[in-house]
Amino acid sequence: MAGNEAAAAEEIPIPPPLPPRTELSRPEIERYSRQLVLPELGVRGQLRLSACSVLVVGCGGLGCPLALYLAAAGVGRLGLVDHDAVELHNLPRQVLHRESRLGCSKARSAVSALRELNSSVQCVPYELALDRDSALELVRAYDVVADCSDNVPTRYLVNDACVLAGKPLVSASALRLEGQLVVYGHQGGPCYRCLFPKPPPPETVTNCADGGVLGVVTGILGSLQALEVLKIATGMGTSFSQVMVLFDALESRFRYIKLRPRDPNCAVCGDHPSVTALQDYELFCGSSATDKCRTLCLLRNEERVSVEEYRKILDSNIPHILVDVRPKVEVDICRLAQAVFVPLSKLQEKDEGCLQLLVQRICEARQMSSENSAFPVYIICKLGNDSQKAVKILQGLSCPGSGLISVKDIKGGLMAWATKIDPEFPQY
């Protein structure tokens, strides 16, 4: 392991510290004139900013506006971490990327855009997935860290690395029409583990790929992150190290929650820490360090069918019922014509109207079958996660009048159908 860590370390470009500066050049005075005249910032603050380095973890919806405003303001160096490539669905919120750079590395795409904006800012791309072998070395090389990731394992990883390296962490998240912001490990405030000592169950975590997000919400939270970084770098004002900021886009409202102080029993920043080195955070959280849609495994193999197997059932005209358990907003985007729409939320509530509809459709379809065995019911959703939850619910419910039924889910859901069966079916 030690040899592998050394090899990994050699591949990561670690720039030297930025030297302190004593004066601004004439072009810099002209470029930054509107912020230089602010008494809270002035020449002293601008010089501090030009000598500051910031590590941005994630070049997505939060990282793009954050990096954009930091580069525009004249931060000395930006390290941009992202192992992913630019995809079409990124463009509504990830404002550094362009159609012309689809398929390109997000880190390099971001660097390209930032250099066009401000060529005097040093931009260092890191095309890698941050892990325990690389995180601490990178974090130590920068003055401030901004967590713009979209998954729980990376949040714990970045937090622990910042605590061990003694660096302030500006963290934000955005989902659907809401967002939140906190500055961790700064001015005596708590770290992420102080507030969340244990990760949530993986099946309860929703990310942007699962739950959606409005692009401008990530823009607002990313801009707030940039503001906090600028304040820390220049010594201007106070930071949100003792407060969590909550943003509700639907009501255009900000709320502020006072945080508990640093926990002396915290596993990483407490008085007697038990976490003194980075660990396996995917194992710790029970989930993958990715912002892609997660894949759950709640059923046995015999309780599931592939999209190819379901296609054969359709082609053979075998009597059955297909139940689509997605929310109505997703059904409005696209659907299979033969599916009965029964949202998972209604099944979880044991809604009588939806259950009666399902029983009625099963009874109608059963009349077309000469088989006396359990009638097949297949469940589909977007990715094959909610469909498994629905199978569990239907297995435990009694549906009088429907007779024996066999309930299975379709692995990979409609996105697997679009990829493997019908390339014209929309992906979202």
Side-chain angles (χ1 to χ4, degrees):
M1 178 61 74
N4 291 338
E5 289 177 358
E10 290 176 2
E11 297 171 2
I12 302 173
I14 303 297
L18 291 169
R21 298 182 56 194
T22 58
E23 61 182 6
L24 298 173
S25 66
R26 184 192 59 77
E28 286 177 314
I29 292 173
E30 183 177 352
R31 176 186 282 265
Y32 305 120
S33 59
R34 299 303 185 270
Q35 60 196 49
L36 285 174
V37 296
L38 295 172
E40 296 84 356
L41 183 73
V43 171
R44 178 175 173 274
Q46 190 67 46
L47 288 171
R48 290 183 62 175
L49 184 60
S50 69
C52 180
S53 60
V54 181
L55 184 67
V56 181
V57 181
C59 300
L62 296 167
C64 282
L66 164 74
L68 194 66
Y69 273 109
L70 291 182
V75 70
R77 178 184 294 138
L78 285 170
L80 299 139
V81 181
D82 205 305
H83 71 287
D84 214 347
V86 180
E87 299 178 74
L88 187 61
H89 63 79
N90 299 148
L91 300 183
R93 65 194 181 282
Q94 300 181 16
V95 293
L96 282 176
H97 310 309
R98 299 290 181 267
E99 289 182 2
S100 61
R101 293 198 287 271
L102 290 175
C104 296
S105 154
K106 283 187 181 179
R108 291 200 175 275
S109 172
V111 166
S112 177
L114 295 172
R115 284 174 177 164
E116 288 186 22
L117 173 65
N118 192 344
S119 60
S120 66
V121 175
Q122 296 180 29
C123 296
V124 185
Y126 298 100
E127 299 172 80
L128 53 85
L130 208 62
D131 58 25
R132 60 178 173 178
D133 294 331
S134 59
L136 191 54
E137 184 181 23
L138 269 180
V139 166
R140 282 176 173 154
Y142 287 82
D143 300 314
V144 185
V145 179
D147 182 6
C148 304
S149 63
D150 190 20
N151 66 85
V152 177
T154 301
R155 291 193 182 280
Y156 279 99
L157 167 66
V158 174
N159 174 80
D160 291 1
C162 285
V163 172
L164 294 175
K167 307 291 183 177
L169 171 61
V170 181
S171 179
S173 63
L175 182 67
R176 299 190 177 103
L177 294 165
E178 298 176 335
Q180 63 183 44
L181 169 76
V182 184
V183 177
Y184 292 113
H186 185 55
Q187 295 177 337
C191 79
Y192 183 71
R193 274 194 195 249
C194 290
L195 304 184
F196 308 103
K198 294 183 179 179
E203 65 273 13
T204 66
V205 178
T206 302
N207 60 23
C208 294
D210 288 329
V213 66
L214 188 64
V216 69
V217 175
T218 62
I220 291 169
L221 269 298
S223 297
L224 285 174
Q225 274 186 286
L227 176 59
E228 290 305 300
V229 171
L230 291 174
K231 287 160 64 177
I232 292 170
T234 61
M236 178 176 59
T238 58
S239 74
F240 288 119
S241 58
Q242 314 284 345
V243 173
M244 177 180 288
V245 182
L246 301 178
F247 175 61
D248 179 346
L250 209 56
E251 300 294 331
S252 297
R253 181 176 61 181
F254 286 94
R255 291 191 297 129
Y256 305 91
I257 299 177
K258 184 175 176 56
L259 298 178
R260 299 190 300 269
R262 182 185 71 85
D263 182 0
N265 297 314
C266 175
V268 67
C269 78
D271 297 339
H272 305 284
S274 57
V275 177
T276 56
L278 300 183
Q279 59 189 93
D280 185 334
Y281 292 88
E282 292 188 336
L283 180 64
F284 174 64
C285 298
S287 60
S288 298
T290 176
D291 60 359
K292 304 296 184 185
C293 297
R294 69 196 189 283
T295 300
L296 300 180
C297 294
L298 306 177
L299 303 176
R300 302 187 306 272
N301 285 337
E302 57 268 27
E303 297 174 303
R304 315 190 73 188
V305 298
S306 67
V307 288
E308 293 89 349
E309 290 171 318
Y310 181 67
R311 175 64 181 269
K312 291 178 182 177
I313 292 168
L314 277 181
D315 292 344
S316 302
N317 292 316
I318 297 173
H320 70 281
I321 285 291
L322 177 67
V323 182
D324 188 334
V325 296
R326 294 175 299 154
K328 183 179 183 300
V329 67
E330 294 187 35
V331 174
D332 289 343
I333 297 171
C334 56
R335 64 182 299 177
L336 294 176
Q338 70 271 26
V340 180
F341 171 47
V342 181
L344 175 63
S345 60
K346 296 294 184 182
L347 292 177
Q348 291 171 327
E349 296 167 4
K350 299 181 181 179
D351 182 270
E352 289 187 9
C354 284
L355 291 175
Q356 289 174 359
L357 170 64
L358 186 56
V359 169
Q360 178 185 340
R361 294 298 297 270
I362 292 173
C363 291
E364 291 172 356
R366 186 184 285 277
Q367 294 175 2
M368 302 170 59
S369 173
S370 58
E371 298 287 336
N372 293 321
S373 56
F375 188 79
V377 176
Y378 298 99
I379 314 294
I380 199 165
C381 65
K382 177 183 178 181
L383 297 160
N385 291 331
D386 285 349
S387 56
Q388 295 182 72
K389 298 176 185 177
V391 168
K392 288 282 191 182
I393 293 170
L394 290 175
Q395 286 174 338
L397 285 178
S398 174
C399 300
S402 64
L404 287 175
I405 60 173
S406 168
V407 189
K408 297 184 179 182
D409 100 298
I410 298 176
K411 289 185 286 189
L414 289 168
M415 296 304 96
W417 181 268
T419 301
K420 300 177 180 179
I421 305 299
D422 181 5
E424 297 301 314
F425 193 87
Q427 297 197 44
Y428 65 97

